[in-house]
Amino acid sequence: MAERPLDLHGRPLGVLRLSLTARCNLACPYCCPDLEDPPDLLTLAERVALVEATVGLGVHTLRLTGGEPLLHRRLEELIAALQPLRRRDPGDPRGALREIALTSNGVLLGAERARQLKAAGLDRITLSLDGTDGASVARMAGLGSPAAGDAVLQRVLAAIRHAREAGFDPARGALKLNAVITRSGNADQLLPLAALAREQGLELRLIEFMDVGNRNGWEPEQVLPAAEMVARIGAAWPLEPVGRAPHGTAGRWRYRDRAADAAGADGGAHLAVVASITAPFCGDCNRLRITADGVAYSCLFAADGTDLKPWLRPQPEPGRLRQALEGLWRARRDRWSEERQEAADRRPAPAEMAYLGG
Ligand code: SAM
Ligand code: SF4
């Protein structure tokens, strides 16, 4: 295998998060997506060239995100076009893509769409849901009424069913639930969300409210620390730590009453918490983010990105594209989340969440 670049802290590249659109059919106030896409969206061929170039540098996992990626009409076509990278031998010097995952709010995940995604070659889906009643969902998704919140909730519950029926098996980690928790928004939803996930056999991933972007009104007081989330849920269903996987974002916990499923057979046996504010994990971060219009960010909290379009237009130039990405990765020194802890006033003006896709 060809040599893979390391960044200035010795970290390899492993995960690419590709945002397909900055638009969304919801308007979660902690995220604040765009109403319009940027004028210069990448084409399908440009996206395939980008993924191929990053795979050559060490990317093994691709996460498709947004904005809401299911708004992207050519999503299945893109996934299908990436399959040749999956079929490469693991020892292929050009690298091989092991996994394609999707993060979605689930509203548009009907039965047929779920089947199409599976058929195209998608491996995993994470659905986002921040509450289990209409009022909470409305508050967290920026909707006008509890009835609108309930309609979204019912769509997401149906999406869980559709994904499962299409073959995304939660017991194998192929279907998970994300929830962002804010102190005044939905801290009261912790237990109901955990109960729902346990009942559905899904791993729930609780995410601390992050200061990504400039328009979500982030305040430290609104962050419910992951340790507090774990304590509250653990008081209802005792938990034991499993640890954080190398390069993973989430600390994982196992429900003691589900110990019989400890081998991991049941997604509902586990709880995960993403503590990027209170317990940053920059030390082994292996993620690169690329926006819908082809700007690469080497950190979720980075102020500046690198526009890759000069190497993609008028048509992709694989050699020069790879060189540009490699240079970017080798120069990477970001550890913003850890630095936030060390000196609270040294924060850059970050890019918006809907550009970066989480
Ligand atoms: N629309 C899709 C969704 O909601 O799953 C994909 C894009 S969304 C930006 C990806 C993930 O980021 C979601 O799970 C969302 O809850 C999370 N997220 C958005 N803004 C956040 C914030 N300020 N802090 C923490 N997580 C956030
Ligand atoms: Fe849309 Fe996802 Fe942002 Fe919510 S978190 S507004 S669903 S992109």
Side-chain angles (χ1 to χ4, degrees), residues 228-247:
E228 206 175 319
M229 302 191 210
V230 170
R232 287 199 202 180
I233 293 178
W237 299 284
L239 288 160
E240 57 196 24
V242 181
R244 186 171 67 87
H247 307 295

Side-chain angles (χ1 to χ4, degrees), residues 126-215:
T126 303
L127 294 174
S128 302
L129 179 67
D130 301 333
T132 65
D133 62 67
S136 306
V137 172
R139 200 164 49 246
M140 297 305 285
L143 304 166
S145 67
D150 191 55
V152 163
L153 172 63
Q154 297 312 322
R155 298 282 290 259
V156 182
L157 294 176
I160 294 172
R161 218 171 43 243
H162 297 143
R164 194 196 305 272
E165 284 166 9
F168 295 96
D169 182 1
R172 293 172 180 272
L175 181 59
K176 295 183 183 176
L177 211 55
N178 265 3
V180 175
I181 305 294
T182 66
R183 209 177 265 283
S184 67
N186 63 342
D188 65 338
Q189 293 298 297
L190 277 173
L191 293 188
L193 281 166
L196 172 78
R198 282 166 54 89
E199 187 189 303
Q200 296 270 345
L202 301 174
E203 178 170 319
L204 174 65
R205 295 163 48 90
L206 297 166
I207 309 174
E208 286 180 348
F209 178 28
M210 291 186 248
D211 52 339
V212 181
N214 288 301
R215 55 195 190 200

Side-chain angles (χ1 to χ4, degrees), residues 9 280 282 333-348:
H9 297 295
C282 306
R333 58 170 73 250
D334 314 79
R335 43 184 289 278
W336 289 112
S337 228
E338 287 176 353
E339 285 173 357
R340 177 204 299 107
Q341 283 212 322
E342 289 157 15
D345 57 335
R346 277 176 42 213
R347 237 187 102 232

Side-chain angles (χ1 to χ4, degrees), residues 14-353:
V15 175
L16 173 63
R17 297 188 66 107
L18 190 61
S19 173
L20 300 179
T21 171
R23 284 184 303 125
C24 189
N25 47 351
L26 299 180
C28 309
Y30 55 76
C31 171
C32 301
D34 278 6
L35 295 176
E36 299 286 338
D37 264 322
D40 240 0
L41 282 190
L42 297 186
T43 64
L44 191 141
E46 289 165 352
R47 290 194 169 116
V48 172
L50 265 181
V51 176
E52 179 150 22
T54 59
V55 164
L57 297 171
V59 162
H60 48 73
T61 300
L62 170 68
R63 182 164 289 273
L64 300 167
T65 176
E68 175 47 46
L70 292 182
L71 288 174
H72 186 61
R73 289 211 177 78
R74 301 184 75 185
L75 175 60
E76 289 80 353
E77 230 179 301
L78 173 63
I79 295 168
L82 294 170
Q83 294 308 307
L85 304 180
R86 307 276 314 276
R87 290 193 283 269
R88 284 183 190 164
D89 188 83
D92 192 312
R94 297 167 301 169
L97 186 59
R98 288 208 299 268
E99 207 167 61
I100 306 181
L102 176 80
T103 306
S104 164
N105 61 36
V107 171
L108 296 173
L109 193 66
E112 182 56 23
R113 194 90 199 260
R115 278 195 294 273
Q116 284 168 353
L117 287 166
K118 185 72 185 167
L122 183 68
D123 299 293
R124 296 204 281 131
I125 300 183
T126 303
L127 294 174
S128 302
L129 179 67
D130 301 333
T132 65
D133 62 67
S136 306
V137 172
R139 200 164 49 246
M140 297 305 285
L143 304 166
S145 67
D150 191 55
V152 163
L153 172 63
Q154 297 312 322
R155 298 282 290 259
V156 182
L157 294 176
I160 294 172
R161 218 171 43 243
H162 297 143
R164 194 196 305 272
E165 284 166 9
F168 295 96
D169 182 1
R172 293 172 180 272
L175 181 59
K176 295 183 183 176
L177 211 55
N178 265 3
V180 175
I181 305 294
T182 66
R183 209 177 265 283
S184 67
N186 63 342
D188 65 338
Q189 293 298 297
L190 277 173
L191 293 188
L193 281 166
L196 172 78
R198 282 166 54 89
E199 187 189 303
Q200 296 270 345
L202 301 174
E203 178 170 319
L204 174 65
R205 295 163 48 90
L206 297 166
I207 309 174
E208 286 180 348
F209 178 28
M210 291 186 248
D211 52 339
V212 181
N214 288 301
R215 55 195 190 200
N216 65 4
W218 186 84
E219 290 172 352
E221 298 72 38
Q222 280 302 324
V223 177
L224 188 71
E228 206 175 319
M229 302 191 210
V230 170
R232 287 199 202 180
I233 293 178
W237 299 284
L239 288 160
E240 57 196 24
V242 181
R244 186 171 67 87
H247 307 295
T249 54
R252 291 180 82 228
W253 299 74
R254 183 162 49 224
Y255 291 107
R256 287 230 178 95
D257 66 344
R258 300 266 171 103
D261 303 315
D266 176 10
H270 291 101
L271 176 76
V273 285
V274 181
S276 28
I277 302 293
T278 61
F281 34 82
C282 306
D284 65 352
C285 174
N286 65 352
R287 285 171 289 284
L288 176 70
R289 295 168 162 87
I290 300 184
T291 64
D293 58 348
V295 181
Y297 286 86
S298 53
C299 174
L300 186 52
F301 301 98
D304 303 310
T306 304
D307 189 356
L308 298 169
K309 286 190 287 297
W311 298 284
L312 289 167
R313 295 183 179 171
Q315 66 266 319
E317 297 180 54
R320 292 188 59 221
L321 180 60
R322 185 194 151 107
Q323 227 174 20
L325 282 161
E326 180 168 350
L328 189 157
W329 193 261
R330 286 194 190 278
R332 179 186 191 239
R333 58 170 73 250
D334 314 79
R335 43 184 289 278
W336 289 112
S337 228
E338 287 176 353
E339 285 173 357
R340 177 204 299 107
Q341 283 212 322
E342 289 157 15
D345 57 335
R346 277 176 42 213
R347 237 187 102 232
E352 299 301 325
M353 185 59 120

